[in-house]
Amino acid sequence: MIESDAEVARALSTIPVRASRQMTATEYHVRVAEVLTLFDIEAVGDETGIRYGGEGVELEDQPLEAAVRILIGRRFGIPESLAI
């Protein structure tokens, strides 16, 4: 885990979130991509994962991308097929 990921995880640990239901891997990828597009990050989610437009996620946007993944995972649960 890089330092910015640790900072994101610490900040997010203070936000109370309750998982509402388990998503499929495809639903998870689509949801993450939908939220990232709200921040003008070109992303498309499907059954194979998330594809980013252009050159991918800029370095300064990587903490945001990590936070979105964590929050969606905490809210909807990480699909078993994606869990480490």
Side-chain angles (χ1 to χ4, degrees), residues 2 13-14 28 36 38 40-41 45 61 66 68 79:
I2 60 175
S13 69
T14 64
Y28 175 81
L36 292 175
L38 296 173
D40 292 329
I41 297 173
D61 291 329
V68 168

Side-chain angles (χ1 to χ4, degrees), residues 20-81:
S20 65
R21 69 177 182 91
Q22 184 71 37
M23 298 173 76
T24 67
T26 301
E27 290 173 321
Y28 175 81
H29 295 309
V30 169
R31 185 67 55 101
V32 168
E34 287 174 343
V35 173
L36 292 175
T37 60
L38 296 173
F39 293 95
D40 292 329
I41 297 173
E42 293 180 43
V44 176
D46 61 21
E47 63 278 349
T48 62
I50 299 173
R51 293 186 313 278
Y52 298 94
E55 296 180 9
V57 178
E58 298 288 333
L59 185 60
E60 62 269 13
D61 291 329
Q62 289 180 4
L64 170 67
E65 195 265 353
V68 168
R69 287 179 178 271
I70 291 168
L71 282 173
I72 290 175
R74 287 178 59 199
R75 179 68 173 108
F76 298 103
I78 299 290
E80 290 180 20
S81 61

